[in-house]
Amino acid sequence: MAGGSYSRRAFLQQTAAAAMGLSLSSCGWRLANVRPTNTASADTSKLYIFTWAGYTDKALLEQFTAETGVSVVVDIYDSNEAMLAKLQSGGGGAYSIVYPSDYMVRRMRDLDLLQELDRDRISGLDSLFEPYQDPSYDPNNRHSVPVSWGTTGLVYNRKSLGTEPQDWDFLWDQREKLTRRMTLMNDTRETMGASLRRLGFSYNAEDPEAIRKAFEALQELKPFLANFTTDAWRDRIVAGDLSVAMGYSVDAVGVESENPDLGYVIPASGASLWTDTMAIPVTAPNPDAAHAWIDFMLRPDVAASVTKSLSFATPSRDAFELLPPDISENPSLFPPDDVLAKCEGLAPVGASTALYERYWNQLTSG
Amino acid sequence: MTQTAPPPNTPGSLDSVPNAAKKHWVGPWALLGPPGLWLVLLLVLPTLVIFELSLVPGIRPGDLVNPSGLDNYTQIFESVYLRVMLRSLLFAIGTTVVSLVLGFPVAYWIALMSPKRWRNLLLVAFILPLWTSSLLRSYAWISILRPTGVLNSFLGIFNLPALDILNQSPAVLVGMSYSFLPYMVLILYSSLEKLDLKLLEAAADLGATPIQSFWKITVPQSFQGIAAGSLLVFIISLGDFINPELLGGASSMTVSRLIYNQFLGPTQNWGFGSSLSMIMIFAVSAAVALLIRYGNTSSGKV
């Protein structure tokens, strides 16, 4: 009897203590502070990867497991921001590998979310193409290793359009005809950037006036859009429900092989040039396997085979040289230098981020 | 939806046990403790955290939580967001009306006119779709409604003009009504089942037309079911995310989509998302209060 009431009191005390701890810490707590998980409980036979849809396939994972004995679990995300939010809210403690894009590498590095890589455990860094040896978003690839690169342009169905779009202007000029037959990406920086670029500004414009003009142009286009979506356009353009969609070049190459009427164009006024990388979060429970994964993905034979099977554009010169000409000469995947010269990488926009997001909320809400 | 209170703790035959007094509090604690703890830890505390975040203007992950004002709430009153809320409200009301209009005849037929031994089977058949994932059901509607989809192929057979409704408001309404109709039917069924048929006979004997007796007897008697079903459908459709996200388009933003965008979508403003969430919580709480008030009184008044 005494035992019963004691345990109840103890329970209440503990609950009160726990509740008090919460309220005390809430005096100055930081929203979603990322802390390393307890590494003692880490299971070294498993590697959790957080990546984009279509960046791994079964054969690739099986090959890695066969070579290293580490089994791989893959989760996917559809925007850099979603990945960051998951990591920051503490829901990403299991992942030892993430795939941030260029500007997100910089942001995550500034937030101290990425480990410095142990370069001795990664071979193949020297075989990267020259622009990827020392990228501006991550000097000397200290926190990330590029795995794929590409552009953001327009995927179109040349049969239903009867013509081939050349520039972003096409969407605005033909908007009546394209009512609910076109999509833009559900991505603040990419879509606002395309509109900025069409008006002659930079993808990374910070001038409020330029950003406002880009927003107004998009608002003009919005009633004619089917949706804002980053990858749900793929099935629908293959089926013929959409005529033109804004998308990543790697996705475009994927759908081109499913429907020969589809084509991809890098708009003439310029597009965004992106690099997706592999990086190791500071909270990674299994950094050894993570380094092994990066090393594995950089190996020329592996990089060449994923370029073929997953339509990556590999940044590795050794892998590029192993590619058959129909892939290495595909202009959607490896555009010529004069086209690339007009493209621009996304960079963090500092205090203007809030302005971009405010306009984005207004655009998608209206 | 009749929420009869659980019978009070009756010690019963345990009275003979010497320390029965102890049982008096052990029973309720054992019964209420786990769910109470569950509610406090997983509902009350998180709601308080959301409330705190809603008071920090423009907070994003990694920022210091320092409640300092109602800016997030004033932002909601910008016309563009008021329009989003109005749209959510209209979707919810529309779904409720469609579910009621479609669900009432079905429930009436199952409860009163179908062969008695088939009733349970019919009811199960009607709620069977609820056993599949709601995500899957929305995807099914995509393949039905899209321009080259099932619906238009069917219309094409009869040389009817093609319908282009995917990515627009009607598609959202179709998906939501389809998803929540079974709830409406279930609740209406349990209410109509109790309908006093003698009153209908008496009305007919006294010369009332079927329409008169429907409005004067059937509807008032099943009013609580109608109210409960409507409020339940209203509440779930107000918070629905999947249908507006998948079936809606660039111009069918709802509050739940907007909240998602603030936390996991392209824009990251947890403060604004939290204030929107608080508004939703209040709206749903008000609806639940109505549900308890009108959907749960015992049928003594009839």
Side-chain angles (χ1 to χ4, degrees):
Chain A
M1 193 167 173
S5 73
Y6 169 74
S7 69
R8 178 175 65 134
R9 201 168 297 147
F11 166 74
L12 285 176
Q13 278 166 353
Q14 278 161 16
T15 315
M20 217 137 75
L22 270 169
S23 62
L24 275 181
S25 62
S26 75
C27 290
W29 59 295
R30 195 172 280 280
L31 176 57
N33 208 356
V34 183
R35 279 177 225 92
T37 43
N38 185 7
T39 43
S41 64
D43 178 1
T44 53
S45 68
K46 271 208 162 112
L47 174 67
Y48 287 83
I49 292 181
F50 201 25
T51 185
W52 301 86
Y55 263 35
T56 56
D57 65 8
K58 209 167 156 233
L60 182 72
L61 302 183
E62 278 169 0
Q63 190 187 349
F64 181 73
T65 306
E67 288 184 17
T68 62
V70 177
S71 59
V72 186
V73 181
V74 174
D75 285 335
I76 58 168
Y77 55 86
D78 64 358
S79 79
N80 279 299
E81 284 74 15
M83 180 268 291
L84 179 66
K86 183 150 185 183
L87 251 57
Q88 286 188 316
S89 61
Y95 302 117
S96 295
I97 289 273
V98 292
Y99 277 64
S101 305
D102 36 43
Y103 72 100
M104 189 51 72
V105 171
R106 184 135 87 182
R107 201 160 142 197
M108 291 175 77
R109 200 192 53 202
D110 291 346
L111 290 166
D112 289 324
L113 290 174
L114 297 181
Q115 278 185 23
E116 195 160 331
L117 301 176
D118 182 356
R119 296 175 66 92
D120 295 338
R121 288 151 85 183
I122 302 165
S123 50
L125 282 171
D126 299 332
S127 74
L128 292 172
F129 278 112
E130 202 265 320
Y132 301 102
Q133 293 276 359
D134 185 20
S136 61
Y137 57 83
D138 184 27
N140 230 353
N141 289 323
R142 281 176 51 201
H143 297 84
S144 65
V145 172
V147 65
S148 173
W149 62 278
T151 50
T152 306
L154 295 173
V155 188
Y156 58 90
N157 185 326
R158 55 175 74 81
K159 212 162 124 197
S160 76
L161 287 181
T163 171
E164 309 207 341
Q166 298 299 326
D167 204 349
W168 298 113
D169 263 337
F170 182 84
L171 303 181
W172 274 264
D173 296 342
Q174 303 289 319
R175 57 180 187 245
E176 310 260 331
K177 260 170 67 187
L178 290 171
T179 305
R180 278 191 303 284
R181 295 188 68 78
M182 58 176 162
T183 61
L184 293 181
M185 284 171 73
N186 187 24
D187 187 306
T188 314
R189 294 295 311 283
E190 286 283 3
T191 301
M192 288 287 283
S195 181
L196 280 164
R197 191 72 195 196
R198 168 179 166 264
L199 298 169
F201 302 108
S202 157
Y203 263 84
N204 305 310
E206 294 199 46
D207 172 22
E209 191 62 13
I211 302 174
R212 187 181 59 80
K213 281 186 181 148
F215 158 72
E216 282 169 358
L218 284 172
Q219 214 166 23
E220 215 178 290
L221 192 61
K222 198 188 107 163
F224 305 94
L225 293 177
N227 216 341
F228 290 103
T229 172
T230 302
D231 48 22
W233 52 268
R234 284 185 288 198
D235 299 337
R236 300 190 54 205
I237 204 166
V238 170
D241 291 338
L242 294 171
S243 298
V244 56
M246 176 183 175
Y248 295 122
S249 52
V250 284
D251 293 337
V253 174
V255 294
E256 273 174 358
S257 61
E258 287 179 57
N259 182 341
D261 292 333
L262 298 178
Y264 174 76
V265 64
I266 297 171
S269 53
S272 88
L273 181 66
W274 48 263
T275 312
D276 283 344
T277 72
M278 298 174 285
I280 307 179
V282 284
T283 54
N286 195 354
D288 293 336
H291 278 94
W293 174 263
I294 295 176
D295 184 57
F296 170 77
M297 289 298 290
L298 269 186
R299 233 168 55 197
D301 59 315
V302 176
S305 105
V306 293
T307 301
K308 274 182 273 187
S309 60
L310 302 171
S311 56
F312 273 22
T314 178
S316 160
R317 185 194 313 276
D318 291 352
F320 183 77
E321 278 159 8
L322 293 176
L323 293 174
D326 62 314
I327 292 178
S328 65
E329 286 163 18
N330 181 341
S332 303
L333 215 47
F334 297 102
D337 287 342
D338 60 316
V339 174
L340 283 182
K342 288 179 302 189
C343 296
E344 196 181 358
L346 293 177
V349 286
S352 300
T353 309
L355 191 62
Y356 272 92
E357 294 184 345
R358 205 176 174 88
Y359 278 133
W360 185 256
N361 268 332
Q362 284 191 20
L363 177 71
T364 50
S365 298
Chain B
M1 277 310 282
T2 48
Q3 295 175 353
T4 48
N9 183 39
T10 45
S13 62
L14 289 176
D15 272 337
S16 54
V17 182
N19 55 357
K22 193 180 113 187
K23 300 271 188 232
H24 274 300
W25 61 261
V26 167
W29 269 96
L31 285 174
L32 293 176
L37 194 68
W38 177 274
L39 278 179
V40 167
L41 288 181
L42 298 180
L43 185 74
V44 179
L45 275 181
T47 309
L48 290 176
V49 171
I50 292 174
F51 179 64
E52 187 177 7
L53 291 183
S54 75
L55 297 174
V56 191
I59 190 174
R60 43 179 67 237
D63 290 354
L64 202 64
V65 177
N66 184 16
S68 59
L70 294 170
D71 290 18
N72 290 322
Y73 289 94
T74 49
Q75 194 183 345
I76 293 176
F77 291 98
E78 285 172 24
S79 67
V80 60
Y81 301 124
L82 286 178
R83 231 176 305 145
V84 170
M85 282 198 270
L86 183 69
R87 195 179 295 129
S88 295
L89 214 58
L90 289 178
F91 275 141
I93 292 171
T95 306
T96 310
V97 170
V98 172
S99 303
L100 186 61
V101 168
L102 294 180
F104 198 92
V106 175
Y108 189 88
W109 185 78
I110 296 180
L112 300 174
M113 295 161 82
S114 65
K116 208 156 197 165
R117 59 202 166 111
W118 290 105
R119 260 172 218 176
N120 281 335
L121 196 67
L122 283 168
L123 212 57
V124 167
F126 207 80
I127 59 171
L128 207 60
L130 285 183
W131 295 0
T132 55
S133 150
S134 54
L135 198 62
L136 218 62
R137 281 180 278 148
S138 292
Y139 271 115
W141 275 108
I142 292 182
S143 56
I144 294 172
L145 296 177
R146 63 177 213 213
T148 56
V150 178
L151 178 68
N152 282 337
S153 313
F154 188 72
L155 290 174
I157 298 174
F158 302 103
N159 283 326
L160 291 167
L163 279 175
D164 179 18
I165 64 169
L166 187 62
N167 293 130
Q168 292 179 88
S169 300
V172 180
L173 210 56
V174 167
M176 284 187 5
S177 305
Y178 172 77
S179 297
F180 305 135
L181 184 61
Y183 296 103
M184 182 68 100
V185 170
L186 262 182
I187 294 173
L188 287 178
Y189 170 81
S190 66
S191 152
L192 284 169
E193 202 189 23
K194 287 180 273 179
L195 198 67
D196 191 349
L197 293 175
K198 276 177 273 176
L199 286 175
L200 287 177
E201 281 169 28
D205 288 346
L206 294 171
T209 63
I211 293 176
Q212 277 174 326
S213 52
F214 175 78
W215 286 111
K216 297 222 155 127
I217 293 168
T218 313
V219 170
Q221 276 207 66
S222 55
F223 178 73
Q224 278 152 15
I226 295 174
S230 299
L231 277 166
L232 184 76
V233 170
F234 178 80
I235 291 167
I236 27 185
S237 41
L238 195 63
D240 188 30
F241 170 74
I242 291 175
N243 285 304
E245 176 72 15
L246 291 180
L247 300 172
S251 302
S252 51
M253 181 64 78
T254 61
V255 178
S256 33
R257 283 177 83 183
L258 194 58
I259 292 174
Y260 176 87
N261 280 352
Q262 305 312 313
F263 287 96
L264 291 172
T267 55
Q268 289 202 348
N269 186 335
W270 287 29
F272 183 46
S274 299
S275 64
L276 284 168
S277 304
M278 286 313 291
I279 297 280
M280 278 289 269
I281 290 171
F282 279 124
V284 170
S285 305
V288 170
L290 285 174
L291 180 69
I292 292 170
R293 172 72 186 77
Y294 291 105
N296 200 29
T297 42
S298 56
S299 50
K301 283 184 197 164
V302 180

